[in-house]
Amino acid sequence: MQQVLKRLWGKIARPEHTSNSIRYWPGHWQKLSLVIWLIAIALLPFSDLEIISYDPWTELHRMLQGLLAPDFTATEYLFAAILQTVNFAVLGVAFGLVLGAPLALIYTHPVISTLCSLTRAVHELFWALLFLQVFGLSPLTGILALTLPFGATFARVFSDILRQSSDAPLTSTPRNSDRCSRYLYAKIALVMPQLLSYVRYRFECALRSSAVLGFIGMPTIGFYLETAFRQGNYHEGMALLMLFIAMIGGIRYWCRPRLIPVYLGLAFFTLAEIPSLDAGLIVRFLTQDVVPPAIAAASSLLAVDLGSLGAWFSEIVVEQAIPGAQVTIVLAMLALALTHLLALTGHGIASRQLLPKPFAYLGQFVLLIGRSVPEYVMAYAFLILLGPSMLPAILALAIHNGAVVAYLAVRQSDKLAASQVNFGRCNQFHYRVLPSVYPNLMALLFYRFEIIVRETAVFGMLGIMALGFYIDSNFAEIRYSDAIVLIGITACFNVVIDKVSRRYLSSSNQAQHCG
């Protein structure tokens, strides 16, 4: 029986290999998947998955009624909200490119790479909360909150793309050409399609982040969405959600490269009015509000009471950072396991290799909805439905990230050529298609883990006792120095998680190739 299975696999997956070189799928990745699920099961006793809502079915019924009968006329200033959402996204990406593109050329410097890692590890909402204390509800708050992490991300990704490109065209350029021209035409021009493709993807991310900024008062579509759901106006809320999904789904039609200059011009001219800045407020925030109490009370740096400073820092770490990090890890690992399950399911329901085209297109539409709705918005809706626990956050993270991973896996599997051996759709999918895309699916899952951890920390602002809960509480209680310390700890925490997951993924790839 074993020999029969070997021959069958050789015909379907690797017909050029002999039976002695056959590898059983998924091997290493199967063990890795099992480890993820074992960790998630082990963490279940430490999680809070209780449904606290008094009558979730009644609330769900009202949401479904709003979905079936959306009211597109209920929201006041709807066009202005959509316009500001696009404006923040356009300007955030534009200024992010201005910041990140030059840094990509020197990203290999340890100082630059460290600063960029810490900057992009802080979520846009945390940046917005920080700038909100200085600029208030000014467009500067939203634009800067997107520019800094996006610029750091552009620097990292552009640097990776440039390093992985071939250096051969550089050797064929004339010797008398200047260094800038050689690099521009023989290096950057070679990878320009990849760079533009990534910019387009980041713009889609910027639209989601711009919408979420409305939850802290910025004049984007998220502000009206949060208001509608909080007041129970689901006919209005579902209409706004449908408009936003249509905006994300149709981005390739309304955001073409030749229209970018037009959108940039409109963004500058139609941006909400920027109020005058109070220089004294900015100086006070930087020199007093964010300074630790022990330093602020001292007459000079030499007079700082180090014991008091250490006690203050230790209290933050023990009472806030460690409990918040524990909840963040538990929530993130449970979300990762469920993301894995939903990614496999989503890939199956949207793949044309398994289902007829009409059903596959329906599955792809479901994935579009899942990846278009921001995790924060989805978690907010689940919070209303299920009550304050880890469950809304886990569901939101898993649905969104599972849809993203499944969507990318479907794009890969749909490009596979049809097998010459006819074993039926189901067998072809499970014994040929899925083994081919599974390693990349797991790699995408690991790359999304950093995003899951970042979003998990932010969900504390919804009442979940993650790191964001303590950060938001400190801002609300005007303890800015405590909030800054927690934001820094969160950034370092996310950087460590990212490096560990990437290193493990790299070793996993090496183990797979050697195995």
Side-chain angles (χ1 to χ4, degrees):
M1 183 64 180
Q2 186 178 8
Q3 294 299 323
V4 173
L5 290 175
K6 283 185 178 181
R7 292 171 184 171
L8 177 62
W9 172 246
K11 290 181 180 180
I12 296 177
R14 294 184 178 91
E16 71 279 8
H17 290 180
T18 63
S19 60
N20 294 328
S21 63
I22 292 172
R23 300 175 185 176
Y24 292 101
W25 174 81
H28 174 78
W29 297 110
Q30 185 181 41
K31 298 175 184 177
L32 181 58
S33 306
L34 183 61
V35 167
I36 292 174
W37 276 97
L38 288 177
I39 293 175
I41 293 172
L43 292 176
L44 276 176
F46 305 97
S47 62
D48 174 20
L49 305 179
E50 184 180 359
I51 298 178
I52 304 175
S53 178
Y54 176 72
D55 191 1
W57 296 111
T58 300
E59 206 68 27
L60 178 61
H61 179 69
R62 293 181 61 202
M63 287 185 179
L64 291 176
Q65 284 183 328
L67 180 63
L68 296 175
D71 188 355
F72 294 95
T73 63
T75 303
E76 191 177 9
Y77 308 119
L78 176 59
F79 177 76
I82 294 176
L83 184 63
Q84 295 306 318
T85 302
V86 175
N87 286 348
F88 284 177
V90 169
L91 294 177
V93 170
F95 289 127
L97 281 171
V98 172
L99 175 65
L103 290 178
L105 304 178
I106 55 174
Y107 187 82
T108 52
H109 193 284
V111 175
I112 300 299
S113 59
T114 301
L115 288 176
C116 287
S117 296
L118 291 173
T119 301
R120 72 172 185 271
V122 179
H123 195 277
E124 295 85 7
L125 272 181
F126 289 156
W127 283 115
L129 282 175
L130 192 60
F131 291 125
L132 195 64
Q133 316 309 316
V134 181
F135 305 118
L137 291 175
S138 166
L140 281 177
T141 298
I143 294 172
L144 289 175
L146 296 179
T147 296
L148 291 181
F150 277 51
T153 303
F154 279 134
R156 167 63 187 269
V157 175
F158 285 5
S159 174
D160 288 345
I161 292 175
L162 290 171
R163 283 191 293 106
Q164 293 170 7
S165 64
S166 174
D167 292 329
L170 287 172
T171 60
S172 62
T173 55
R175 293 182 177 273
N176 58 350
S177 58
D178 63 277
R179 190 173 181 180
C180 181
S181 298
R182 292 177 69 238
Y183 200 83
L184 181 64
Y185 291 101
K187 190 72 171 178
I188 295 180
L190 187 68
V191 296
M192 186 58 70
Q194 294 172 265
L195 299 179
L196 293 177
S197 176
Y198 187 75
V199 170
R200 178 179 171 181
Y201 167 72
R202 291 314 301 179
F203 179 66
E204 180 180 327
C205 297
L207 283 174
R208 287 194 289 266
S209 298
S210 178
V212 170
L213 290 177
F215 281 71
I216 61 170
M218 302 304 296
T220 65
I221 196 171
F223 174 79
Y224 298 96
L225 188 62
E226 188 265 346
T227 302
F229 273 93
R230 177 161 43 84
Q231 296 177 350
N233 299 328
Y234 297 127
H235 297 280
E236 177 184 357
M238 290 300 179
L240 290 171
L241 203 55
M242 291 169 69
L243 285 175
F244 187 73
I245 292 173
M247 185 190 303
I248 296 293
I251 194 172
R252 59 179 174 178
Y253 300 109
W254 62 267
C255 188
R256 296 182 179 275
R258 62 176 178 269
L259 295 177
I260 297 300
V262 177
Y263 290 132
L264 274 173
L266 286 174
F268 279 110
F269 283 107
T270 61
L271 191 67
E273 183 180 356
I274 299 177
S276 58
L277 302 179
D278 187 348
L281 181 63
I282 298 175
V283 172
R284 177 181 175 179
F285 180 78
L286 296 176
T287 59
Q288 297 182 28
D289 294 343
V290 299
V291 177
I295 298 178
S299 57
S300 65
L301 290 178
L302 296 177
V304 173
D305 185 354
L306 297 181
S308 176
L309 183 63
W312 167 78
F313 183 77
S314 299
E315 182 180 355
I316 294 176
V317 172
V318 173
E319 296 184 4
Q320 301 183 56
I322 292 179
Q326 290 173 344
V327 173
T328 299
I329 283 291
V330 171
L331 206 161
M333 286 306 305
L334 293 177
L336 181 68
L338 188 56
T339 298
H340 175 254
L341 177 62
L342 293 184
L344 289 174
T345 305
H347 175 241
I349 66 171
S351 175
R352 287 181 291 178
Q353 301 276 7
L354 178 62
L355 299 176
K357 284 186 177 181
F359 294 101
Y361 288 145
L362 180 61
Q364 291 175 17
F365 179 72
V366 172
L367 296 184
L368 170 64
I369 295 175
R371 67 186 177 89
S372 297
V373 181
E375 299 100 311
Y376 195 87
V377 175
M378 203 178 298
Y380 188 79
F382 282 130
L383 189 69
I384 296 173
L385 187 63
L386 304 174
S389 69
M390 287 186 182
L391 190 56
I394 293 172
L395 291 175
L397 286 167
I399 291 173
H400 178 82
N401 290 284
V404 171
V405 175
Y407 167 73
L408 296 174
V410 167
R411 290 183 60 181
Q412 179 189 358
S413 65
D414 283 350
K415 293 178 181 178
L416 294 176
S419 174
Q420 300 299 319
V421 184
N422 184 17
F423 287 108
R425 279 182 179 268
C426 188
N427 287 335
Q428 291 278 0
F429 180 80
H430 288 95
Y431 292 101
R432 176 178 172 271
V433 176
L434 191 56
S436 299
V437 303
Y438 195 79
N440 282 341
L441 186 146
M442 290 299 296
L444 288 168
L445 190 70
F446 265 79
Y447 287 132
R448 297 298 298 184
F449 186 53
E450 178 195 2
I451 298 175
I452 290 175
V453 174
R454 289 173 70 244
E455 294 291 341
T456 297
V458 172
F459 284 162
M461 297 172 62
L462 294 176
I464 301 165
M465 302 290 284
L467 284 165
F469 174 82
Y470 299 98
I471 294 173
D472 187 48
S473 298
N474 283 318
F475 273 117
E477 297 170 5
I478 321 180
R479 293 186 298 188
Y480 299 137
S481 56
D482 294 23
I484 294 295
V485 170
L486 285 175
I487 288 177
I489 292 175
T490 302
C492 295
F493 179 71
N494 289 338
V495 168
V496 170
I497 291 292
D498 178 44
K499 288 187 178 297
V500 169
S501 63
R502 287 177 185 272
R503 181 170 297 180
Y504 187 77
L505 180 61
S506 176
S507 63
S508 297
N509 288 330
Q510 293 175 4
Q512 185 197 21
H513 291 313
C514 295

